[in-house]
Amino acid sequence: MTYCEQGPAERVPHDARGRVAELHALHEQARNGPGERATKAQHAKGKLTARERIGLLLDQGSFTEVEPLRRHRASGFGLEARRPYTDGVVTGWGLVHGRTVFVYAHDFRIFGGALGESHAAKIHKIMDMALAAGAPLVSLNDGAGARIQEGVVALAGYGGIFHRNTRASGVIPQISVMLGPCAGGAAYSPALTDFVFMVRDTSQMFITGPDVVRAVTGEKITQNGLGGADVHSEISGVSHFAYDDEQTCLDDVRYLLSLLPGNNRERPPTVPTTDPVDRRCDRLLDLVPADGKKPYDVCEVIEEIADHGEFMEVQERWATNVVCALARLGGEVVGVVANQPRSLAGVLDVHASEKAARFVQHCDAFNIPLLTLLDVPGFLPGVGQEHGGIIRHGAKLLYAYCNATVPRIQLILRKAYGGAYIVMDSRSVGADLSYAWPTNEIAVMGAEGAAHVIFRKEIAAADDPEAMRARMVKEYKSELMHPYYAAERGLVDDVIDPGETRAVLIRSFAMLHTKQADLPPRKHGNPPQ
């Protein structure tokens, strides 16, 4: 084998076979990364390598890598002596359930997954490719933030990612999977995407780490206590899903992708179902108590009407008084927003309004029809809620529904009181169809409160105020809160047998499948913040 000069210290084979052999060797070196010792260190932390994660995410053998031989060109601080292939991020595309998905995965074994100029350029390229191809983008995040040795160019690299996240928002699904400690800029990109997945104990997100917090404020806290999976899935609402291990997490990423379209010009994939579309749901008659004061689990209602009882709840542990979920009805994907009576009686508050509003916006962006299951006693009263901006946050949900052009069906299970009834996709804000069960109570407020306001003087002047109060409550209910009051006035399209709910909904969504709706010409709206 003969060689020719290439650079001051490198020699390459001169003949074609030799060069092909060298090419394979370089690709093998890029695939192996920094070596077995670094891989063992990654595994010792309970974490998989970047390529192992990609292997779990994508269909077997479908991954095509982009720029595996990229290396940084920085110098100083010893960087010129360390120029590993891939530069700490693996990028490319593959298939999930036979559909194209783009992916990038930080390799923590190389520079701790920190982002430098070349590292960022690879991510920019794959993001641009995903947007051009109209396919989802999944980021597998396990990086230590900006590469300090490269200075401002690393920060500029993050800026390019943020810009592309924003441009792709509502155009292609973007999913961030947090699989290690991600601080500073590494946490902001996931916050701009549609869904955030986290793994307990191994993944954290924070803008400033525990050391900085302690130095500035004196507060002592661990990484998990500051920004772990449970913190972000229960307290901050940053994380949509939390898991105990990486494989289960990536399995659910695959499942979520099966429910989403490739881009905003497509509909979600239809899956043939063996669950009869006209299956009766008589169990619903017992699930929801007629007594509006008795709680129940609305997830059981969703389970009863969904194909094979399957649905994927989003942000299950945050703002638990409202449920947001993706399910299939007759093989078609729908987004479900439902009040949860077993948590704060299903009232709307600041967090529930935010959670539901963003879910509605996501469904509308990606052509996912909306089903709203209503059992709401109103907005949560209190100084804390008012000072926390319940007006502003409640308006977010109102804006999201009013702005949505996808098929929208409202189903009133039981209570529907006051402004919360209007906000939860009533006919007056644009729902295409509104159905109610015979147990529905649609009113400005509950009968007891209404009677106290309307008949306050009569009750006070009565010889037996309690008997008068009871009589007035009964009168108010019979006049304004009977199940057919709204139907008689066209505010509800029909009062239906709960057992027929699944069949009615599937027929109705099928009719709305070809719905066309246009918004007024504008650059963009100015939603409440």
Side-chain angles (χ1 to χ4, degrees):
M1 185 180 294
T2 60
Y3 291 84
C4 65
E5 291 290 337
Q6 178 175 317
E10 297 181 77
R11 306 180 71 87
V12 299
H14 192 55
D15 63 295
R17 291 184 182 276
R19 291 191 175 188
V20 169
E22 184 200 39
L23 172 65
H24 288 311
L26 291 177
H27 277 159
E28 184 68 17
Q29 184 179 340
R31 284 192 293 270
N32 290 337
E36 187 64 25
R37 182 178 177 182
T39 300
K40 287 182 177 179
Q42 182 82 344
H43 289 165
K45 298 173 185 176
K47 301 195 296 183
L48 301 175
T49 66
R51 294 181 188 277
E52 288 170 340
R53 290 162 174 167
I54 291 173
L56 289 175
L57 173 68
L58 301 178
D59 296 348
Q60 186 174 2
S62 68
F63 181 56
T64 298
E65 190 170 354
V66 175
E67 295 192 352
L69 303 181
R70 185 91 179 226
R71 299 196 292 180
H72 74 75
R73 55 188 179 183
S75 61
F77 305 100
L79 284 178
E80 63 274 6
R82 298 178 60 200
R83 300 181 63 231
Y85 292 114
T86 74
D87 199 41
V89 63
V90 181
T91 60
W93 75 87
L95 303 176
V96 174
H97 301 300
R99 300 164 64 220
T100 299
V101 172
F102 287 80
V103 61
Y104 69 85
H106 298 132
D107 190 341
F108 193 83
R109 301 173 303 164
I110 298 175
F111 298 124
L115 181 137
E117 181 185 27
S118 296
H119 182 121
K122 289 182 65 175
I123 296 175
H124 296 169
K125 182 172 184 175
I126 212 67
M127 295 179 79
D128 291 340
M129 291 175 68
L131 191 59
L137 174 71
V138 178
S139 62
L140 305 179
N141 299 272
D142 188 5
R147 196 174 297 171
I148 298 173
Q149 299 94 321
E150 294 196 31
V152 71
V153 293
L155 297 178
Y158 271 124
I161 294 173
F162 304 156
H163 177 72
R164 287 166 173 82
N165 284 139
T166 304
R167 297 281 290 183
S169 180
V171 181
I172 58 172
Q174 299 180 84
I175 298 174
S176 297
V177 189
M178 315 309 293
L179 299 166
C182 296
Y188 269 125
S189 175
L192 291 169
T193 60
D194 298 302
F195 297 101
V196 176
F197 288 71
M198 295 189 74
V199 176
R200 293 184 181 90
D201 297 328
T202 58
S203 66
Q204 299 89 29
M205 296 173 67
F206 35 70
I207 300 304
T208 54
D211 293 340
V212 177
V213 170
R214 183 167 57 251
V216 175
T217 70
E219 298 172 289
K220 295 181 179 180
I221 194 166
T222 64
Q223 284 194 344
N224 279 323
L226 182 62
D230 289 327
V231 168
H232 286 311
S233 62
E234 295 178 19
I235 299 173
S236 72
V238 171
S239 174
H240 299 79
F241 306 94
Y243 300 88
D244 292 328
D245 62 87
E246 294 190 14
Q247 180 159 353
T248 306
C249 175
L250 292 170
D251 284 345
D252 263 13
V253 174
R254 287 175 56 87
Y255 180 52
L256 175 60
L257 286 166
S258 75
L259 297 169
L260 301 176
N263 56 65
N264 65 342
R265 300 181 300 277
E266 298 177 359
R267 296 181 186 272
T270 301
V271 174
T273 180
T274 56
D275 193 348
V277 297
D278 58 352
R279 169 173 57 82
R280 281 193 61 84
C281 304
D282 289 324
R283 181 167 171 259
L284 295 175
L285 295 167
D286 301 315
L287 275 178
V288 180
D291 183 351
K293 295 180 181 179
K294 291 185 178 180
Y296 62 93
D297 187 354
V298 77
C299 288
E300 294 187 46
V301 176
I302 300 171
E303 181 180 349
E304 184 65 21
I305 63 178
D307 291 355
H308 302 293
E310 296 179 357
F311 64 94
M312 188 175 196
E313 187 172 352
V314 178
Q315 293 180 303
E316 178 181 359
R317 298 165 63 196
W318 182 66
T320 55
N321 40 322
V322 69
V323 171
C324 298
L326 293 169
R328 292 186 185 275
L329 286 175
E332 301 288 347
V333 177
V334 298
V336 183
V337 179
N339 305 110
Q340 176 58 286
R342 74 172 188 177
S343 177
L344 294 176
V347 297
L348 287 177
D349 61 2
V350 166
H351 288 162
S353 299
E354 284 187 312
K355 172 181 172 179
R358 193 164 192 272
F359 183 75
V360 167
Q361 289 171 336
H362 173 82
C363 290
D364 186 53
F366 291 106
N367 308 310
I368 300 173
L370 284 162
L371 169 63
T372 303
L373 302 179
L374 196 58
D375 190 348
V376 62
F379 283 94
L380 182 63
V383 175
Q385 287 292 305
E386 296 295 344
H387 289 184
I390 186 60
I391 296 172
R392 175 167 53 88
H393 294 289
K396 292 179 184 179
L397 181 54
L398 185 59
Y399 187 99
Y401 270 125
C402 290
N403 202 49
T405 59
V406 293
R408 292 154 50 191
I409 296 178
Q410 179 195 58
L411 174 61
I412 302 166
L413 308 182
R414 205 168 56 172
K415 300 185 298 296
Y417 293 164
Y421 154 66
I422 300 172
V423 168
M424 290 289 288
D425 205 21
S426 64
R427 284 292 305 274
S428 59
V429 300
D432 298 293
L433 290 167
S434 178
Y435 295 114
W437 286 354
T439 48
N440 81 82
E441 294 180 356
I442 306 174
V444 175
M445 63 177 68
E448 289 78 7
H452 178 74
V453 172
I454 298 172
F455 306 110
R456 182 172 61 250
K457 293 181 179 179
E458 290 87 340
I459 293 172
D463 295 333
D464 186 347
E466 287 305 314
M468 176 62 77
R469 183 192 306 276
R471 186 164 69 85
M472 293 298 99
V473 167
K474 183 177 180 180
E475 180 178 331
Y476 183 83
K477 282 185 174 181
S478 65
E479 289 293 325
L480 296 177
M481 291 183 66
H482 63 79
Y484 308 103
Y485 183 85
E488 290 170 0
R489 287 152 180 81
L491 298 175
V492 167
D493 291 287
D494 198 6
V495 179
I496 65 172
D497 174 357
E500 297 177 356
T501 298
R502 173 176 163 83
V504 169
L505 292 176
I506 291 174
R507 287 199 305 268
S508 300
F509 277 123
M511 177 275 293
L512 291 168
H513 190 71
T514 54
K515 174 186 174 181
Q516 298 290 326
D518 296 315
L519 294 172
R522 58 183 174 185
K523 186 175 181 180
H524 56 74
N526 187 23
Q529 296 296 322

